[in-house]
Amino acid sequence: MDEVLLRSLTPGVLAILVRRGADFAAAEDAVQDALLQAVRVWPADPPRDAKGWLVTVAWRKFLDATRADAARRRREDLVEEEPAPGPAPAVDDTLQLYFLCAHPSLTPASAVALTLRAVGGLTTRQIAEAYLVPEATMAQRISRAKRTVSGVRLDRPGDVATVLRVLYLVFNEGYSGDVDLAAEAIRLTQQLAAAVDHPEVAGLLALMLLHHARRAARTASDGSLVPLAEQDRSRWDTALIAEGVGILQAALARDRLGEFQAQAAIAALHADAPTTEETDWVQIVEWYDELTRLTDSPIVRLNRAVAVGEADGPRAGLAALAALDASLPRHAAVAAYLHERDGDLATAARLYAEAAHKAPNVAERDHLTRQAARLNARRCR
């Protein structure tokens, strides 16, 4: 082994490594490793180009050392990022998931459907009933939404309006459906209200609180449904009502009316009345007029017909109802109620039975069945 040759080649090899981008200290270490390998290998297998051999081996040694150092640094960084031993901090990302599912690449309707299914935990049937469409149609909508977002990164949050719509539907399903989601919807809406200064966020929160305040009185001890007119108002949560009214008043004072504020105003008028007879039905009709202007929803018009029947008499309510599609959910129940108030018990009983057959849940079906039986019993006396 010609040590003089090796020493003479070392500066040139070192210079080549530095020109290739190696820092001097790392290049020097790599060249020393290459020289040691040359001492071991060359006696048995001398290279044709000694300098070229040294440059190639030294560069490989440098790359191996660089990769090993980078891997070590990554491992150290991961160790530093590991959480401390013990209970993990309570971090709730649920609301963030709602925003991410409301992705800008989706239409608002598709975003709502996907979020209700993926995050809200509702079934396709429940979502279809909320949207007044067949279950198969909703299944296709959700499938299309999944395909749309399958190739995109969920790193762009959707808008507040879409998230509000999701929270509203989750609350409604929890309030009147088979799965108790109302408290969770209220909690998330409170989080949103704390983070976003928007009157419609406040309006939705007020609406939820006002409805939730009456929840204890909505069912009897046997689980049967108790209509608003028959509820024990002493069981209403006055603290929740006061909180909801306060939030609503602050939102309305900003003079940026939206549908959730209008609905909350209707709920507040119901909550403010000591009895059904003392309810300000005229003002409720006026708020339904505002809500119709804002949404043009057939369900809003259906509820307005009930309010008109209370304010101006059952025949006025039936006239308002006549303009609506009879296939609307709960149309038959509203017609039955108005016909009963107008004294047409036979028609009312038939419509209550029809409404029971179409009821979306067991509690409502049983209530409507009892109403039909009650009127049939009265007619037979």
Side-chain angles (χ1 to χ4, degrees):
M1 170 63 62
D2 192 342
E3 294 183 9
V4 175
L5 174 62
L6 288 176
R7 284 198 298 271
S8 67
L9 292 175
T10 298
V13 174
L14 183 60
I16 290 173
L17 264 64
V18 171
R19 285 199 300 270
R20 288 186 176 184
D23 65 86
F24 187 82
E28 196 171 31
D29 290 342
V31 171
Q32 290 300 319
D33 288 341
L35 292 175
L36 289 174
Q37 187 167 341
V39 171
R40 292 193 301 270
V41 172
W42 283 11
D45 186 18
R48 293 199 188 103
D49 180 1
K51 184 177 181 180
W53 188 96
L54 285 173
V55 169
T56 299
V57 173
W59 183 248
R60 289 174 180 166
K61 297 287 186 182
F62 165 74
L63 292 178
D64 289 344
T66 300
R67 294 189 187 104
D69 186 61
R72 176 184 58 78
R73 291 179 183 276
R74 283 196 297 271
R75 289 194 297 271
E76 291 174 353
D77 290 341
L78 288 173
V79 170
E80 291 177 359
E81 293 171 4
E82 285 183 0
V91 177
D92 185 359
D93 295 325
T94 307
L95 188 59
Q96 183 64 18
L97 286 176
Y98 274 70
F99 272 96
L100 292 177
C101 283
H103 197 270
S105 64
L106 297 172
T107 64
S110 294
V112 170
L114 178 63
T115 312
L116 289 171
R117 188 72 184 91
V119 186
L122 273 63
T123 65
T124 303
R125 176 185 59 79
Q126 290 169 321
I127 302 169
E129 289 173 353
Y131 267 93
L132 311 181
V133 298
E135 184 175 348
T137 301
M138 183 53 63
Q140 291 175 355
R141 184 180 299 177
I142 293 172
S143 295
R144 285 195 300 269
K146 288 179 178 178
R147 287 196 299 271
T148 299
V149 299
S150 63
V152 301
R153 289 176 58 85
L154 291 180
D155 55 0
R156 289 188 296 153
D159 63 357
V160 173
T162 301
V163 173
L164 286 178
R165 178 64 51 194
V166 174
L167 290 170
Y168 176 59
L169 291 175
V170 169
F171 176 82
N172 279 345
E173 189 60 41
Y175 189 72
S176 61
D178 302 325
V179 182
D180 187 357
L181 297 168
E184 173 69 358
I186 291 174
R187 184 183 68 83
L188 292 174
T189 306
Q190 288 171 329
Q191 285 187 9
L192 184 59
V196 178
D197 182 21
H198 192 290
E200 272 295 82
V201 177
L204 178 58
L205 179 57
L207 175 63
M208 289 179 174
L209 294 175
L210 289 164
H211 277 308
H212 208 59
R214 304 200 302 260
R215 188 167 191 181
R218 291 186 72 248
T219 54
S221 58
D222 61 358
S224 60
L225 192 64
V226 180
L228 176 62
E230 300 171 19
Q231 288 177 16
D232 179 359
R233 300 190 177 210
S234 68
R235 299 184 66 196
W236 290 1
D237 189 329
T238 54
L240 275 186
I241 291 173
E243 183 182 357
V245 169
I247 293 170
L248 173 62
Q249 288 175 338
L252 292 175
R254 300 177 66 174
D255 198 25
R256 291 168 57 192
L257 183 64
E259 62 174 296
F260 294 122
Q261 295 169 75
Q263 288 191 62
I266 293 169
L269 287 167
H270 283 298
D272 186 55
T275 65
T276 302
E277 293 73 24
E278 296 173 86
T279 303
D280 190 345
W281 288 107
V282 172
Q283 192 174 170
I284 287 176
V285 171
E286 292 173 354
W287 275 112
Y288 271 121
D289 289 339
E290 287 285 353
L291 194 53
T292 300
R293 180 181 60 80
L294 289 166
T295 67
D296 196 29
S297 163
I299 298 300
V300 170
R301 293 181 181 274
L302 184 69
N303 291 332
R304 180 185 177 278
V306 177
V308 169
E310 298 290 352
D312 300 327
R315 294 194 178 182
L318 287 168
L321 189 64
L324 301 176
D325 187 345
S327 66
L328 279 173
R330 298 186 173 89
H331 184 284
V334 170
Y337 173 73
L338 292 172
H339 277 291
E340 179 185 356
R341 288 201 59 221
D342 194 40
D344 187 351
L345 302 188
T347 300
R350 176 179 58 78
L351 288 170
Y352 275 131
E354 179 184 327
H357 180 69
K358 299 176 180 177
N361 56 68
V362 174
E364 191 169 335
R365 182 198 65 197
D366 290 348
H367 169 72
L368 292 168
T369 300
R370 285 193 297 271
Q371 295 294 85
R374 174 179 57 83
L375 294 186
N376 285 325
R378 282 180 59 185
R379 291 172 54 220
C380 293
R381 289 175 187 169

